[in-house]
Amino acid sequence: MQNRTANSKQTTAGRSQVQPNTTTQQPRAPPQMVQNMARVTDPKHVPKDTRDQFLKKIHFCSQPYDFNDDTKNVKEKQERSQYLQELFDLLKEPNFVNNLVVPHLDLIIEMIEKNIFRPLPILKKTATNGEIGMEDDDQLIDPAWTHLQPVYEYFLQLIVNEQPDVKSLKIFITHSFIQEFLELFDSEEPREREYLKNILHRLYAKLVPRRKMIRKAINDCFYTLIHETYKFNGAAELLDILASIISGFAVPLREEHVIFFKTVIIPLHKVQTCQFYHEQLLRCSMLFLSKDPTLATFLVEGLLRYWPFANSAKEVMFLNELLEVLEVCEISKLEPLIPKLFKRLIKCIAGPHLQVADRAMCFFENDYFLTILKSYKPFTFPLLVPVIAQIADTHWHKVLQESLNALKTILKEIDYQAFDKALNTKDPKYLYIIQDAKNQKKDRQKIEEKWKNLTKQALQKNPNFKEPIVPYSDTHIVGEHNGLNNGNITIL
Amino acid sequence: MSENPFEVFIEDMENEEVYLRVNAMHRVRIICTLIGVENIRSQLIPYFDSLLDKEEDEVLFAMAEELGNIAELMPDQSKLLLNLLEKLVSFDETVVREQAVNSITVVCEYLSDPEIVNIIVPMWLRLAQNEDNFICKISAVSLMSSIYGRAGCQKENMRQEFAELCKEETLMVRRAVASKIGEIAQEMEKTYVIAQLLQVVKELCYNEQDTIRQLCSMSLMNIARVLNSQEIKANILPLIILQAEDKSWKVRMSLAQILADVAQILGQEIADFQLIPIFTNLLKDCQSDVRVEAVKSLLRFIKLISRERVYLIIGNIQQLTEDPIAQVKQNICEVIGQVANLLPKQQSQNQLRKCLFQLMSDENWEVRRNAIKAMGVFAIAIEFEELNKLIPHLKRCMNDPKWRVRKETIQTIIQLALQLKQLDIFIEHLEEVFVLFLRDRAAEVRSIGLSSLCELISVYKQEWALGNLLKKCIEILEKDGGSLFRINALYAIQQICFAIEGPQIETNLWPIVQKYLKDPIPNIRFVSLKVAKSFLKKIGNQNISIQIRQSIYGMFEDPDRDVKFYAQEALQY
């Protein structure tokens, strides 16, 4: 289970897949220290010089060096790598672990902290905003990584190791340790994030008494992402861990977890960089829904609320997720969401982006969705039919026009009478979506006239009255805000 | 005219499009003016309340903003709005919440002191004590500074509660504290600033989160505003030094950004003796982004310290001119230009001139451009005898492949020439590089050169204009194949004509231009026409005037349509 989550790494954001090479160590002659240890007959008594040597090496590895400059401290760095390798080899011998490593866990953790807890470097990238389809060809690599990797590898093996028990490890894994550890997830180096993920995952599995604290720290991390920074490189990795945590939740879900779903999982959809972790987010969402299907309507509501604007790639993702989530929804619970849902779908279908429109059309190939459509026929038909009927005749793309016509047929087959009736509705509610701007303006004129009158009256009543400025106006391109009327932009 | 205003509002608010609802929301002021306080209370507020659960964030954002404006319309009754605002400040969406916080601050301005104590403070305490929603606590932190000053007998209570907020574990709340504590210090009594806030900020400066430590820089600066220099030295300075040595480059960078402001607040004495070493360290920082920010603050900082201590930074400036990062060098150029004027002439010449020369030949063109720009300022500070050392550099820059560099160069040359005011030195050194503009490939450079001619001729008189300058123009007109350059030379002649008297034009300029009215290239003929037209305005001699008119008349049948048209127009008057 753990291995599965550890290795099923996403490839969406162009991140390379990296697997820690834990088992593929080249066989080599045992280093001197291991040989020394091997000669010790009584494992309970480690000779003093072996212990001193061990401590010396730990101490040496705790020294900071400038890893960004390969020309500095070349000798020390070589020595350090060798020591780290030796320390690593020691972990393979249970006896040594028990008698050397466990008693000096404090120094070892300190050594690890001193190495990995560092201000993250800036690896300059030209493309910072997460547009999909943009491959990061030249993935930038932290020059310090080759020196950090052995420390991570050591840490990982230390946690995997059976010998250090929960009690002795627990002392070091404090709240501030976890917080600093989580901050490292923002690293630009994918291999580092991979190690961090594996280590945190195993820590969570092993340290049962620390689980709640770890979950809270992850929560904080996501709050920061949602409310403050909007970008966090390690979001996908953290969600990976969360996915396996969630699958361990007992049913029925505790209130704490439901709150988490509502305050973290759903708002995570609105973050601009959502594409980077959407796959993982979707998995977490679906896991939650499998534990408690009643949460599905909240998610549908959230998706409709945070629907992307001017980002068609993200829209396609949302459409995929929406359909998947709808399938879990209990039809009777959907009623309040029907108008919003169908309005959104109509906007997608009538919109200028072909892929989005195409994805939205796929909804009608889904049986469960058609059941929803049928169950709310009195609402859905009057909304849907007039628009579909009209764009089926006028759509600019042949393939889509065909499928629109097919949809027309489907709708007719469902209920011919209702179809006819809907087609003849007076003043169809969403027809304006496909109307051109001119017509829309005519409709607005009446009410704008009323506003003008009221403003005049207000001025009469209070000569100091200042007419409010409205943000969206005809003269302003933002006036097209979300109104997808096929490019008929009105500029006076 | 008989519409019910409130109904119009509701009608528009039921529109399908969010942006129209946002517009309607922003117009609610009109409604409020018309329906009066009583109806606001009985109709509008309950309606707003019903929107809270179902509306989009954008509309709620507009609502939060308008509530502040409505308060303005009913100053006596603005407390009616607080219930709504209290709900809005607990909203998830950051912008909505922040806007609501602002509106509460507006409402507070209209409330009496007893109302603050009896209504606002209890509301604040509810927010601060809300254990279910950390967002309420963040809002409480943001509201603290605008309420505390008027909280009267509740101050003690608020301070205690604020102390609790400072201990809050949620990072978001901590960050809110770190960023707002400076503002709060402005409102709190000094004894409590020292007793309570300093302690908090100190702890925050040691927080393991670098984002929190980063926010502290600004807050430290703001707290310093309310302290005297003794207190600053004892409390703030050590923390600033701590920040300057922070292991996270982000913290050092945010300190570098505001260090000039810090210096201003902390005063010259502290700046002179304590901040200079901090600054020089930041200028040497291993992270280039920190250096860039430090260099950007450098000039303001230098102006704040005593002149006699500026020399302490010169070494750093020299070092920065060799920085591997172009952005650092770009920013240091301006500093060098300005600093030169603050130093004794001898010193600036010796130490900084070389640096600037070096930057003028940097491989990054933006560095070159900024360096040459700085040279213009710098050159004022150097002796004119030194000019000959500068000329080769100017010459190279005038041949720079980037036109922006050449543009800056020609401007610098013009600036120098205007200050020099000595014809012999000008001819000896500058003229040679100046006239290069006549044959520059970039129109921008040529036109800058042209537009400077009038002023230059007024300094160096017509002897120069009709001598060396005209000679150069003729040379280009006769020998150069490029029509653009020839056009430019003609325009230069036009400029000369503006600066001199009629008789000289007749004898010196007209004979040249006359030739080019018959040039095979239409554009040349066209420009010659323009020049000839300007001659007409200045020439007094009838004979020549008639001669010019006749030449122009001869072009009435020009094969080129534009030339023909312009020829006719030129003779209109």
Side-chain angles (χ1 to χ4, degrees), chain A residues 188 310 319 323 463:
Chain A
E188 307 254 11
L319 282 166
L323 187 56

Side-chain angles (χ1 to χ4, degrees), chain A residues 226-243:
Chain A
I226 295 165
H227 296 282
E228 286 178 352
T229 56
Y230 316 119
K231 183 172 185 282
F232 186 71
N233 291 316
E237 283 80 2
L238 281 182
L239 284 167
D240 261 341
I241 298 174
L242 268 179

Side-chain angles (χ1 to χ4, degrees), chain A residues 215 245-259 287-295:
Chain A
R215 281 204 306 270
I245 293 178
I246 295 165
S247 42
F249 285 165
V251 182
L253 290 175
R254 273 193 284 167
E255 204 202 337
E256 172 205 356
H257 302 319
V258 175
I259 290 174
L287 279 166
F288 259 111
L289 301 189
S290 70
K291 303 258 167 183
D292 182 356
T294 59
L295 293 174

Side-chain angles (χ1 to χ4, degrees), chain A residues 4 49 128 135 151 172 192 221 264 266 271 305 324 346 373 399 424 448 452:
Chain A
R4 190 180 63 80
D49 60 328
T128 40
E135 292 300 323
V151 182
F172 306 105
E192 178 166 16
C221 226
V264 175
I266 294 180
V271 180
R305 183 171 170 212
E324 235 177 282
I346 289 170
L373 179 79
V399 176
N424 296 319
E448 289 293 332
K452 248 185 218 160

Side-chain angles (χ1 to χ4, degrees), chain A residues 132-398:
Chain A
I132 213 159
M134 217 156 41
E135 292 300 323
D136 298 337
D137 290 327
D138 39 2
Q139 188 100 73
L140 283 150
I141 288 163
D142 184 356
W145 175 245
T146 43
H147 302 279
L148 284 169
Q149 191 267 344
V151 182
Y152 275 113
E153 186 60 46
Y154 182 79
F155 193 10
L156 181 64
Q157 287 314 308
L158 184 71
I159 307 294
V160 173
N161 204 296
E162 300 283 318
Q163 309 301 325
D165 60 349
V166 176
K167 234 190 197 159
S168 43
L169 265 176
K170 194 178 77 175
I171 315 163
F172 306 105
I173 311 304
T174 58
H175 183 251
S176 69
F177 179 92
I178 290 294
Q179 232 169 45
E180 281 204 63
F181 191 81
L182 284 175
E183 254 187 83
L184 294 174
F185 274 82
D186 200 20
S187 167
E188 307 254 11
E189 169 63 65
R191 289 171 297 183
E192 178 166 16
R193 292 200 302 268
E194 191 63 27
Y195 268 112
L196 288 164
K197 182 175 92 176
N198 289 331
I199 292 168
L200 185 63
H201 199 161
R202 285 175 166 83
L203 277 175
Y204 188 86
K206 194 164 183 170
L207 300 181
V208 179
R210 288 283 178 262
R211 284 188 177 174
K212 195 165 179 181
M213 188 194 77
I214 293 177
R215 281 204 306 270
K216 190 176 178 312
I218 294 180
N219 262 12
D220 275 353
C221 226
F222 282 127
Y223 282 146
T224 312
L225 168 64
I226 295 165
H227 296 282
E228 286 178 352
T229 56
Y230 316 119
K231 183 172 185 282
F232 186 71
N233 291 316
E237 283 80 2
L238 281 182
L239 284 167
D240 261 341
I241 298 174
L242 268 179
S244 62
I245 293 178
I246 295 165
S247 42
F249 285 165
V251 182
L253 290 175
R254 273 193 284 167
E255 204 202 337
E256 172 205 356
H257 302 319
V258 175
I259 290 174
F260 173 78
F261 181 78
K262 288 181 186 168
T263 58
V264 175
I265 296 287
I266 294 180
L268 270 177
H269 286 86
K270 83 170 162 185
V271 180
Q272 295 93 313
T273 50
C274 175
Q275 285 116 308
F276 285 138
Y277 56 78
H278 185 260
E279 190 185 319
Q280 289 77 6
L281 182 60
L282 178 60
R283 196 145 55 92
C284 288
S285 312
M286 296 320 285
L287 279 166
F288 259 111
L289 301 189
S290 70
K291 303 258 167 183
D292 182 356
T294 59
L295 293 174
T297 40
F298 293 102
L299 185 52
V300 171
E301 200 185 341
L303 283 171
L304 293 172
R305 183 171 170 212
Y306 300 132
W307 202 266
F309 174 61
N311 184 348
S312 37
K314 198 174 165 190
E315 262 188 292
V316 173
M317 280 181 187
F318 266 52
L319 282 166
N320 288 339
E321 180 166 355
L322 184 60
L323 187 56
E324 235 177 282
V325 177
L326 279 175
E327 285 189 69
V328 189
C329 283
E330 205 179 311
I331 292 180
S332 62
K333 295 271 170 61
L334 275 171
E335 190 175 337
L337 295 172
I338 290 294
K340 259 192 140 183
L341 173 66
F342 278 83
K343 182 183 171 190
R344 179 49 66 195
L345 283 175
I346 289 170
K347 277 197 165 187
C348 288
I349 292 171
H353 197 279
L354 191 66
Q355 264 175 311
V356 173
D358 196 51
R359 271 314 304 175
M361 288 301 290
C362 290
F363 275 58
F364 299 93
E365 288 162 20
N366 182 294
D367 287 336
Y368 195 77
F369 181 76
L370 287 177
T371 321
I372 297 172
L373 179 79
K374 283 179 224 162
S375 321
Y376 292 101
K377 214 162 45 189
F379 302 106
T380 55
F381 265 56
L383 299 179
L384 205 56
V385 171
V387 182
I388 298 294
Q390 190 165 334
I391 43 176
D393 295 337
T394 57
H395 201 277
W396 55 277
H397 195 272
K398 207 176 144 229

Side-chain angles (χ1 to χ4, degrees), chain B residues 1-23:
Chain B
M1 292 295 271
S2 61
E3 288 112 11
N4 176 340
F6 189 66
E7 275 167 17
V8 176
F9 178 64
I10 301 275
E11 185 190 337
D12 222 10
M13 283 302 290
E14 275 162 8
N15 202 298
E16 279 297 323
E17 284 300 318
V18 181
Y19 79 94
L20 291 174
R21 296 206 297 278
V22 171
N23 276 353

